[in-house]
Amino acid sequence: MASSSSSCSWPKRRVLANTLILFILIGLSCIVAADDDVKQDDDTSPKSPSCNNPYELVKVKSWAGGAEGKTLTGLNARFGALLPSHAEKAPRLPVVFSNPLNCCSSSSSKLSGSIVLAIRGDCDFTKKAEVAQAGGAAALVVINDNEDLFKMVCSDNDTAINISIPVVMIPQSGGETLNKSLASGQKVELLLYAPDRPVVDYAVIFLWLMAVGTLFCASLWSDITASEKTDERYNELSPKESSNAGSDKDDAEKEVLDISAKGAIFFVIMASAFLVLLYFFMSSWFIWVLIVLFCIGGVEGMHACIVGLILRKCRKCGRKAVNLPLIGEVSIISLVVLFFCVAFAIFWAVTRKSSYSWFGQDVLGICLMITVLQMARLPNIKVATVLLCCAFVYDIFWVFISKAIFSESVMIAVARGDNSGGESIPMLLRVPRLFDPWGGYDMIGFGDILFPGLLISFAFRYDKANKKGVLNGYFLWLMIGYGLGLFFTYLALYLMDGHGQPALLYLVPCTLGVIVILSLVRGELKQLWNYGAEESSPSPTPRDPSEEA
């Protein structure tokens, strides 16, 4: 018995360490966001009847010597004319630098019918626009002194502004590119327009299907990979040990961790500490640590999923093994799959900035989440309430309330990858907006799938153990609740002009709230609340009647 107890301690410690690391990392990505938002409007910039334009990103198409060059991204001013939304309706006009370059006084260069370039500084933006308009310019493009797109506003003294030309700001690098072309004697032309995003974001629909499908597959994964004989999916690396194991293995011998209420609270504290640490010390090497951890978790998850599916169809495949130094006996199929998974993860890491890298990231992420939901589970609704309520408060605090303390949303800053050299955390599912003229990605954090997923997986196990049907069980209604919660999240994202949303704000009430209310109506709340407690507690020893005599 002692040897049996010690043999299962290593898997237990391994799954505990893996789950703790994964959940801390996953806690960094409890957010739904849309990358590269077109709408840049806010309520803090000064407004007046003549200075009330909404901020929108602008496409600046360029030609040098008749050859089309790089399309730049700019930002329109609070004042001036609005740009057309279609390139066909915008004129293609020649470019000229103002003289002086700051465009703060009448230009000696001919500006009539041209798009005027001016550098930022020395006078108000409205003054530059008035000078350019007085010279007959068709538009004004202001070159910033850094790579940001500064919001050009009106001053408090600008009470009556009469500017009828478009005014756009571009980053410093864009101005340098145009200056090089002009300095080489080439004729430079620009076309300015501000395309709108489509009303229906097809990437969001696909992302919704991915999230819901991941939860559905993860909940049913044990049935999908179940064999007619014993379940050996956690022992494919040791075929001899698994073949000698009986079918009555308990959870202590498998890589399964029951989350406790204390563990749920501990997670929130650790995730918050790690989030603040990442916020203050964000750098490219720190992101690389997260990328390496993601690849390790992704390889393990992908390996478990592929091997589980192979052994489901061909149980004999796992019996062929090879003896390796320092490792021991390893099944050949497991080794081959491991090499494939490692190569897949390395290829993704090397090409993670390519346009197609989202596919590899999503494959690794989905396999990782399916595996996590097999490794960790909720024992009852009591622990689920503690975990999801803590995650609910955690998500709202670090997305919204943290602004009052850190002057910006800590969660959004970390998810965006500020000060990370262009890198971003990989614990996200991403889908490119292929039908959007601005491109970019729609994203959902792993935490927004895993936390509700733990509850949904519990509901599936409970329905199965108590032989509940589809309609009188809980799994179907929680899946519907999760789908609706995710729909409300993306609706809020649309109404908030793409600003990141704490998805658990909508997902927790639509999942935890559903099972609590439904079980209360059915009179099963007490059973769900303490589910598993009676089975885990030792049964009293029956007394001998002769002892009472």
Side-chain angles (χ1 to χ4, degrees):
M1 293 298 293
S3 61
S4 176
S5 175
S6 62
S7 65
C8 71
S9 61
W10 161 244
K12 262 309 203 189
R13 288 196 296 268
R14 176 170 169 263
V15 70
L16 176 62
N18 286 349
T19 306
L20 178 61
I21 292 173
L22 289 173
F23 270 86
I24 290 176
L25 297 180
I26 286 159
L28 302 179
S29 56
C30 293
I31 185 172
V32 168
D35 192 21
D36 302 331
D37 303 321
V38 173
K39 298 293 183 181
Q40 303 288 322
D41 209 5
D42 58 43
D43 296 325
T44 59
S45 302
K47 293 182 180 180
S48 66
S50 56
C51 187
N52 196 31
N53 288 346
Y55 290 118
E56 291 184 337
L57 291 179
V58 176
K59 281 188 178 290
V60 182
K61 299 186 70 174
S62 63
W63 289 264
E68 186 171 354
K70 181 180 178 181
T71 298
L72 308 174
T73 299
L75 184 68
N76 72 312
R78 179 70 86 184
F79 51 87
L82 294 175
L83 291 166
S85 58
H86 298 282
E88 297 79 11
K89 298 181 179 180
R92 175 175 163 180
L93 300 172
V95 173
V96 61
F97 264 107
S98 63
N99 190 14
L101 293 177
N102 57 20
C103 200
C104 292
S105 59
S106 298
S107 176
S108 59
S109 303
K110 183 180 178 182
L111 308 181
S112 180
S114 302
I115 296 177
V116 177
L117 295 178
I119 61 173
R120 177 184 173 184
D122 300 327
C123 62
D124 293 337
F125 294 115
T126 52
K127 177 63 176 178
K128 298 178 187 289
E130 289 171 349
V131 171
Q133 181 173 282
L140 172 65
V141 174
V142 179
I143 303 172
N144 201 6
D145 52 11
N146 54 52
E147 291 305 299
D148 295 330
L149 294 176
F150 188 81
K151 294 180 178 179
M152 295 180 285
V153 300
C154 305
S155 64
D156 296 333
N157 298 326
D158 295 327
T159 55
I161 302 175
N162 185 22
I163 299 174
S164 58
I165 61 172
V167 181
V168 176
M169 174 168 284
I170 61 174
Q172 185 179 34
S173 59
E176 291 174 352
T177 301
L178 297 177
N179 185 34
K180 288 180 181 178
S181 299
L182 288 170
S184 64
Q186 295 178 319
K187 179 183 179 182
V188 178
E189 298 172 299
L190 294 181
L191 186 148
L192 311 176
Y193 68 108
D196 296 324
R197 282 203 161 123
V199 177
V200 179
D201 188 353
Y202 296 100
V204 165
I205 298 175
F206 189 66
L207 194 61
W208 184 92
L209 291 172
M210 273 208 309
V212 174
T214 298
L215 278 188
F216 183 82
C217 290
S219 299
L220 276 67
W221 192 254
S222 59
D223 289 350
I224 294 173
T225 58
S227 172
E228 296 178 358
K229 299 181 180 180
T230 58
D231 186 357
E232 299 171 295
R233 89 176 163 276
Y234 293 106
N235 300 296
E236 66 271 3
L237 288 175
S238 304
K240 284 188 176 180
E241 179 183 341
S242 60
S243 61
N244 295 330
S247 59
D248 57 345
K249 286 186 176 182
D250 58 11
D251 290 337
E253 293 175 304
K254 297 179 183 180
E255 292 189 4
V256 175
L257 173 69
D258 282 331
I259 301 173
S260 65
K262 291 181 181 179
I265 298 173
F266 176 73
F267 153 73
V268 174
I269 296 174
M270 290 297 296
S272 297
F274 197 77
L275 185 67
V276 173
L277 183 68
L278 193 57
Y279 174 73
F280 283 111
F281 299 101
M282 174 78 77
S283 61
S284 58
W285 71 266
F286 210 149
I287 296 296
W288 260 108
V289 172
L290 298 181
I291 291 174
V292 171
L293 291 175
F294 170 74
C295 288
I296 294 173
V299 167
E300 184 172 354
M302 193 175 182
H303 177 268
C305 291
I306 295 177
V307 171
L309 291 174
I310 292 176
L311 295 183
R312 172 68 179 87
K313 296 294 184 182
C314 180
R315 177 61 59 179
K316 294 182 180 180
C317 296
R319 296 177 183 174
K320 298 179 181 179
V322 61
N323 230 332
L324 296 179
L326 303 177
I327 298 177
E329 191 171 316
V330 180
S331 68
I332 296 177
I333 188 66
S334 179
L335 199 60
V336 172
V337 172
L338 180 62
F339 287 148
F340 169 77
C341 295
V342 170
F344 188 92
I346 293 175
F347 179 79
W348 170 81
V350 172
T351 62
R352 68 190 182 282
K353 292 187 178 181
S354 303
S355 59
Y356 53 81
S357 65
W358 64 274
F359 179 78
Q361 181 173 331
D362 290 350
V363 170
L364 291 171
I366 289 173
C367 292
L368 171 61
M369 286 186 284
I370 290 176
T371 304
V372 168
L373 290 175
Q374 310 310 304
M375 291 165 48
R377 70 181 188 183
L378 296 173
N380 49 50
I381 295 301
K382 178 171 65 176
V383 177
T385 301
V386 174
L387 176 65
L388 291 178
C389 287
C390 286
F392 179 82
V393 174
Y394 166 88
D395 211 9
I396 294 174
F397 178 84
W398 290 113
V399 173
F400 288 146
I401 304 177
S402 61
K403 292 180 182 179
I405 303 174
F406 300 92
S407 74
E408 64 176 337
S409 172
V410 173
M411 182 77 79
I412 293 178
V414 171
R416 199 169 48 218
D418 294 354
N419 304 321
S420 63
E423 300 284 358
S424 60
I425 61 174
M427 284 73 71
L428 300 163
L429 292 185
R430 298 189 302 154
V431 176
R433 296 193 288 259
L434 299 176
F435 300 98
D436 192 323
W438 287 100
Y441 295 86
D442 287 312
M443 302 173 288
I444 182 171
F446 288 177
D448 301 324
I449 299 175
L450 278 176
F451 289 125
L454 288 168
L455 178 60
I456 293 174
S457 295
F458 165 78
F460 178 79
R461 294 195 312 272
Y462 176 83
D463 290 351
K464 184 178 179 181
N466 291 273
K467 296 181 173 58
K468 287 187 172 290
V470 175
L471 296 179
N472 66 345
Y474 295 93
F475 174 70
L476 173 64
W477 304 112
L478 284 185
M479 285 298 302
I480 294 174
Y482 179 80
L484 287 175
L486 204 55
F487 169 77
F488 292 144
T489 303
Y490 285 112
L491 180 62
L493 188 71
Y494 174 79
L495 296 176
M496 296 293 289
D497 291 331
H499 295 289
Q501 293 293 303
L504 294 180
L505 172 64
Y506 310 94
L507 294 174
V508 170
C510 289
T511 52
L512 182 62
V514 166
I515 194 170
V516 169
I517 294 174
L518 193 58
S519 61
L520 185 63
V521 172
R522 294 174 176 177
E524 299 176 343
L525 179 58
K526 185 177 180 180
Q527 180 185 0
L528 284 167
W529 189 263
N530 298 306
Y531 186 72
E534 297 177 356
E535 291 82 349
S536 61
S537 60
S539 57
T541 304
R543 299 180 62 183
D544 188 352
S546 62
E547 295 179 0
E548 299 178 359

